[in-house]
Amino acid sequence: MTVATNYPAATAYRRILDPANRHNPYPYFAELCRVPVQRLDADTWLVSSHEAITRLLRDPRMSVQDRDIDTTDAPLGSDGEPVTGPFLFRDPPHHDSLREQTMYRFAPRIMGLRPNIEMLVTGLLDKRLSDQPGQLDVVAELAYPLPVGVICELLGVPPEEEPVFHSFAGRLTKALDPEETLTEQEITELAVTRREWREYLMPMIAQRIEHPGPDLISALLTDGDPSTRMTLVELGITLGMLLIAGHETTVNLVANGTLALLRHPEALARLRTDPELAAAVVEEVLRYDPPVQLTGRRATADIELDGHTIRAGEHVSLLLAAGNRDPRRFADPDAFWPERPNNAHLAFGGGVHYCFGAALARMEAQVALTVIVTRLDNPRLVDDPPPYRPNMLLRGPEQLRVAHDGITG
Amino acid sequence: MNTSAADRVVIVGASLAGLRTAEALRQNGFAGRLTLIGAEPHEPYDRPPLSKTVLSGWLGTDQVLLPRTCDLHAEWLLGVPATGLDPAAREVRLADGRAVAFDRLVLATGARARRWSDPAEAALRGVHLLRGRDDADLLRADLAEAVEANGRVLVIGGGFTGSEVASSCRDLGLPVTVTQRGAAPLAGALGEVVGSAIGERQQAHGIDLRVRTTVRRLEGDASGRLRRARLSDGSALDVRVAVVAVGSVRDTGWLRGSGLTADERGVSCDAACRALDAEDRVVDGVYVAGDVARWRHPRFDTGPVSFEHWGNAVDQAETVAHNMMSEDVRENDALPAFWSDQFGLNIKAVGMPAVADQVVLAQGSFEHGPFVAVYGRTGVTVGAVAVNSPRVLDGYAALVTERAPFPPVIDALRSPGRMVPVDSRIPHPVQELVTVLEGQS
Amino acid sequence: MRIVVDLNRCQSYGQCVSAASEVFRFRGKESLEYDHVPDAASDAAVRRAALACPVQAITLATATEEISPTEAAHR
């Protein structure tokens, strides 16, 4: 197996990150996918086949935790261990209790949310009823306000606070960029934003301790066994994570989905006549153009994979977007085919860190795409390709202008 | 030799393995006549829920029917057991006197619960087996009465079925005693170390667990109703219901004289699911799938065994259909996998923990919360069990597939050498079986 | 509708429970329970659940034929 070592590794990483490829990175990913496991640099591997990614996502020897982090000043969490970050970036067993507590309170609250999401999306389109025929930026006017509106509803944040949440969501999302891509100023700003976020949350939390409501924050504060309940610090970090992790990803899912449908008018027409197709459309969007393109892990032990040995301590980049178009797993992988059978895509990752908000993201996208295709008369793409955000990790258009002949009421 | 459209395929056994074989045959393009013969009068249904959601009352026995993924255009002969096989005439004889001719035959008759050894005691009202829908209906009705009377349930045998029955009875609020001949429940499949850890949790759910204990006698009253059980520890228990869960046997007596190698341990076949005769030669046109199949798994150096696993029925059904329809003979080497849900625990296992000599705790703690234990045999990883940790098991399955060294290194960065394997304490029957069989090979 | 879940494949991601909570549920922390024969009223939700399953463990019936009762009665 010498293919990998012969591969121009540094070039590969540069090409993955190159914004010039952003409008269509898939031909290059298809090249990468031919070699399931390859070295990127001295201590990083790139994994791009469906099988290898699936396996590593569920491997107990893959860590998400930054083990070099200085924990001397870190406050202690509910398990007596230093709090080093949200559960998204913590390994079992520390991850487990925090995720479980949050999930038990989150999952039942989203189950009945479909009608509320329908109202939210409908309301956003209604705002534009007056200026038809015209043009709609699906990103700014629909995809962007939707997840923040939903999370505010879950957290019991009054509507007048939504703009504040919007602003935090945008600013905190920087935390998801790879650290090496941030400037010193951006890192400083991020620290300030985090402090402001904590300060903003404090009175909200205090108020719910006094007067618990039916919302998620109140439940996290008061439900369950007090001896294992998350601390206030953990709560703040968890809420921040829910806000950012569910924000830009959902924006991108709705935008990427709209784009895919507009580029495949026959699928769009079928969704318009059969709203039940929405679930299948969303799964195919998740495979075809996933909002999260890449995820990282670090090996905690030597792992044999595809003829290579990934050494303990080495980093592994899992190129989810490439695995989603692996021809060994998906027939005709570049085709957008909602009826695709056995669509076990990797868009939400897998294993213990499987996307916490996947069910909510699915629901939001199913509703949004259905409403868009049923209410916009003769929708057309204004720019193809649309301008993209520079972030490689989270893929989505900056702006998605759609011309239409009117919005039906 | 391919199966052609002129051929008639007869499948004896209309449960999971038989149904999946029929589906796979049609999906692989088989266009000939297809007949399914079932001893039970019911169309195919799923057995695992019987001891869980059905017994605890959530689902009726008519809510566990299996879906069919294609039209089978089959003849269904249900409620009629097969009583004989004439390989020369190529026909199966049925209990109602009919003979059904075949070109290709699939044996998928499954297993039945081993009966209580004393027929008079077994006949007492209140003494139950649990294998099929009808068993579940009878047991449910009796448990409902026991709830009214707050009568104790005795579960004889702490294997998976016994433990799941005990769990469901606790859900119903019934007092439950479980007797287990060995030192821990589930020990036959998972060893005494893991079995004891799960046993502790069963006890925390209120089970009166009696290990190293057997039932000496079941006593009834004048009306023939179970009243009391006398145990080997000298105690006597007033019990309303007893569930006999002491393993399973395969009814293969009807195959006597057929040239196949069959006994209560199963029908011998190769890894390609082809039936074998006494000299281990393939019997032309006869295949075996599911619980009744006894074979040597190509991934493990053990003797022939039967896998009473849901997944094994599914995998072998695929293998049979493929080998009937295709020139290239495929062996089934899918990694064995099984699960159990009991006492709020999701127990999932891969590989063959039952052949291990050592076990090590890889994640979590035996005392509380989730855990994963890995099994090794002569320095090779052969299995793993995940308790309330279903999302990491695939990673361990990969270690078993690779035959990774045992104990595996999971976290070299944090604490190298932390894991200390101990004797897995798989009780004698399995280990003896393996040793004996290895001695033969 | 009839369904079956391959519980060897299932890893308790809970997407089915979110999509069709009247059909799928968790018992304890990780044990999935479900109705094999859900009401027709749940068909759309069950289809969504099957599509959303990350390990594609849910099989839906697609057969149109009935098992002939005359054969079943023959005993």
Side-chain angles (χ1 to χ4, degrees), chain B residues 164-181:
Chain B
E164 289 171 6
V165 168
S167 174
S168 295
C169 289
R170 288 302 297 145
D171 288 344
L172 295 170
L174 288 161
V176 181
T177 297
V178 177
T179 59
Q180 165 74 348
R181 182 186 293 271

Side-chain angles (χ1 to χ4, degrees), chain A residues 55 58 60-61 67 300-301, chain B residues 394 399 402 409-410 412-414:
Chain A
R55 180 182 153 190
R58 296 167 191 171
R61 300 165 298 182
R67 284 158 194 253
T300 59
Chain B
D394 272 5
L399 296 177
E402 280 168 20
V409 180
I410 302 300
L413 295 181
R414 200 187 299 268

Side-chain angles (χ1 to χ4, degrees), chain B residues 67-374:
Chain B
R68 297 193 301 284
T69 53
C70 60
D71 286 344
L72 295 176
H73 306 294
E75 298 163 86
W76 294 83
L77 305 178
L78 299 176
V80 49
T83 52
L85 168 62
D86 184 339
R90 299 196 90 71
E91 61 180 31
V92 175
R93 286 188 299 280
L94 305 185
D96 60 8
R98 274 186 294 180
V100 181
F102 64 83
D103 298 298
R104 303 293 181 103
L105 179 69
V106 183
L107 299 173
T109 48
R112 67 164 170 82
R114 186 187 292 276
R115 295 190 188 97
W116 186 237
S117 53
D118 183 311
E121 293 178 18
L124 292 170
R125 272 183 295 118
V127 178
H128 293 263
L129 297 169
L130 180 58
R131 183 77 192 179
R133 271 183 70 164
D134 297 342
D135 298 332
D137 280 325
L138 289 171
L139 179 53
R140 256 173 75 143
D142 230 7
L143 289 177
E145 285 181 26
V147 169
E148 291 298 310
N150 196 32
R152 178 167 290 273
V153 178
L154 170 65
V155 179
I156 306 172
F160 283 112
T161 305
S163 295
E164 289 171 6
V165 168
S167 174
S168 295
C169 289
R170 288 302 297 145
D171 288 344
L172 295 170
L174 288 161
V176 181
T177 297
V178 177
T179 59
Q180 165 74 348
R181 182 186 293 271
L186 312 180
L190 300 176
E192 288 174 7
V193 175
V194 170
S196 299
I198 293 170
E200 300 265 329
R201 302 190 192 199
Q202 296 180 344
Q203 286 173 295
H205 278 82
I207 294 294
D208 168 30
L209 177 64
R210 313 271 183 105
V211 296
R212 295 194 179 88
T213 305
T214 55
V215 174
R216 288 269 163 78
R217 223 166 63 219
L218 296 171
E219 297 173 354
D221 60 17
S223 75
R225 163 105 227 163
L226 174 69
R227 283 290 172 230
R228 193 168 294 108
R230 298 207 177 268
L231 310 186
S232 61
D233 61 11
S235 62
L237 281 177
D238 285 344
V239 292
R240 168 101 197 177
V241 174
V243 182
V244 178
V246 292
S248 60
V249 292
R250 289 135 199 90
D251 283 325
T252 56
W254 68 283
L255 293 171
R256 218 166 284 132
S258 68
L260 306 184
T261 312
D263 57 26
E264 72 164 36
R265 295 171 303 177
V267 181
S268 289
C269 63
D270 64 8
C273 300
R274 299 175 298 187
L276 300 174
D277 67 12
E279 273 78 50
D280 273 1
R281 286 176 309 219
V282 169
V283 178
D284 186 41
V286 181
Y287 299 82
V288 194
D291 292 2
V292 76
R294 185 158 172 271
W295 55 294
R296 203 183 288 268
H297 196 293
R299 288 188 186 276
F300 301 92
D301 53 352
T302 69
V305 283
S306 61
F307 294 85
E308 285 185 62
H309 303 162
W310 195 92
N312 179 57
V314 170
D315 296 334
Q316 287 193 313
E318 294 283 339
T319 305
V320 168
H322 175 272
N323 289 343
M324 252 192 222
M325 300 296 294
S326 165
E327 290 293 339
D328 83 295
V329 175
R330 194 165 76 190
E331 291 199 335
N332 170 34
D333 65 351
L335 205 60
F338 56 96
W339 78 89
S340 171
D341 292 298
Q342 50 177 281
F343 303 100
L345 301 176
N346 172 246
I347 303 169
K348 297 189 73 171
V350 290
M352 286 187 76
V355 303
D357 50 30
Q358 288 195 306
V359 65
V360 69
L361 181 68
Q363 281 182 254
S365 125
F366 281 143
E367 285 74 38
H368 48 83
F371 72 82
V372 180
V374 181

